[in-house]
Every structure is written in structure tokens, then in C-alpha cells.
């Protein structure tokens, strides 16, 4: 039964991601899951560096460098020399990057509403609490 719970969580996330990114794949920008995570990070942390993203995400710096380069080439991220440290580059979303992120966020809200359609507010809180417990259980040391 425990395996069934995690498999169901996986299925829910697979459906969610597939539906969320279909909107962007069918639009003017073909955005991958990781690219959306990078855009989201710099949307929340404008002026952050690639190193800060790597520290936050735990992802390989080389993979992130390729993602950032691609997003810059597509005009979704802008890079500027850091005023405090000219050797460092700070990144922020361009207007196009902000538009893509807004599309992602709107789609996420629509899908969330659809996913919990018919749930009472109490049921939604209960579901969040149960999923948080699963997250906490997996994060705790054995």
C-alpha cells in the first residue's frame, strides 16, 4: 500500500506537468520543466547569480550553465555584470521571460483549481497537511 501512495503522487505530478507544459510547447516558446524552474527562480530572485541558483537547486553547475545560456539566447534571461563584483554576472528575466513565467503561473493556478475541484476548503487543507507530512517523513534522517 505504501508503494501505491508514492506511485499515485508520481502520477498526479506527471499529469500536472504534462498539462502545464503543453500550453508552453504549443505556444511561441518551447519550455522544458527545468527551464521553467530557472525562470521561476529568477522571477522570485531578480539579480541573483548562477551560483546562487546552483546552491538553491542542488543542480550541476554545468547543466545550469547550459540552461541559462539557452534562455539568454532565446531572449528570456538578461545578464549584467554585478556592480559589487565585476567578475560575477547577475541574471534577471527579460520582458519575454516575465511573460512566459506569467503564462506558467496562470496555467498552474488553473490546473490546481481543476485538480481540487469539488474539494471543500477543509479537504484541501487536509490534503496539504497530509502531503506535507509525507514530505517531512522523506526529508527526515532514517
Amino acid at each position: 500500500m505504501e508503494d501505491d501512495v508514492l506511485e499515485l503522487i508520481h502520477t498526479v505530478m506527471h499529469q500536472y506537468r504534462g498539462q502545464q507544459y503543453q500550453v508552453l510547447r504549443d505556444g511561441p516558446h518551447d519550455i522544458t520543466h527545468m527551464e521553467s524552474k530557472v525562470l521561476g527562480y529568477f522571477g522570485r530572485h531578480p539579480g541573483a547569480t548562477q551560483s546562487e541558483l546552483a546552491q538553491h537547486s542542488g543542480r550541476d553547475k554545468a547543466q545550469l550553465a547550459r540552461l541559462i545560456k539557452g534562455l539568454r539566447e532565446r531572449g528570456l534571461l538578461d545578464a549584467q555584470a554585478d556592480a559589487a563584483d565585476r567578475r560575477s554576472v547577475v541574471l534577471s528575466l527579460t520582458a519575454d521571460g516575465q511573460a512566459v513565467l506569467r503564462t506558467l503561473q496562470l496555467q498552474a493556478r488553473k490546473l490546481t483549481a481543476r485538480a481540487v475541484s469539488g474539494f471543500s476548503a477543509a479537504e484541501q487543507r487536509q490534503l496539504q497537511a497530509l502531503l506535507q507530512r509525507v514530505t517531512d517523513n522523506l526529508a527526515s534522517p532514517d
Side-chain angles (χ1 to χ4, degrees):
M1 171 136 179
E2 290 146 356
D3 289 344
D4 294 340
V5 170
L6 293 179
E7 188 62 33
L8 186 55
I9 290 170
H10 172 77
T11 299
V12 167
M13 286 310 302
H14 181 74
Q15 290 174 321
Y16 174 83
R17 284 187 183 142
Q19 291 178 34
Q20 183 179 34
Y21 297 112
Q22 175 136 12
V23 168
L24 289 176
R25 281 191 303 268
D26 294 344
H29 301 285
D30 184 18
I31 301 293
T32 67
H33 172 70
M34 276 306 299
E35 289 170 334
S36 73
K37 293 292 188 188
V38 170
L39 291 176
Y41 179 80
F42 289 111
R44 289 184 308 278
H45 304 95
T49 66
Q50 179 179 322
S51 295
E52 290 167 337
L53 172 62
Q55 184 178 10
H56 170 79
S57 68
R59 295 285 181 166
D60 177 68
K61 288 182 181 182
Q63 177 190 25
L64 292 175
R66 286 188 300 276
L67 284 169
I68 288 170
K69 180 181 179 197
L71 291 169
R72 287 181 62 195
E73 288 172 351
R74 290 161 57 194
L76 301 176
L77 273 181
D78 185 40
Q80 300 291 324
D82 187 345
D85 179 0
R86 302 297 272 169
R87 297 169 296 167
S88 186
V89 174
V90 295
L91 298 154
S92 58
L93 298 180
T94 63
D96 284 347
Q98 290 171 357
V100 169
L101 183 59
R102 279 192 303 274
T103 300
L104 262 177
Q105 291 168 334
L106 177 62
Q107 183 65 9
R109 284 192 296 274
K110 286 179 181 178
L111 282 172
T112 298
R114 185 168 146 214
V116 297
S117 176
F119 285 32
S120 69
E123 288 172 323
Q124 289 181 44
R125 286 190 301 275
Q126 181 181 21
L127 178 59
Q128 284 181 307
L130 292 170
L131 290 172
Q132 185 60 57
R133 283 177 54 194
V134 170
T135 301
D136 294 344
N137 288 344
L138 291 173
S140 69
D142 288 339

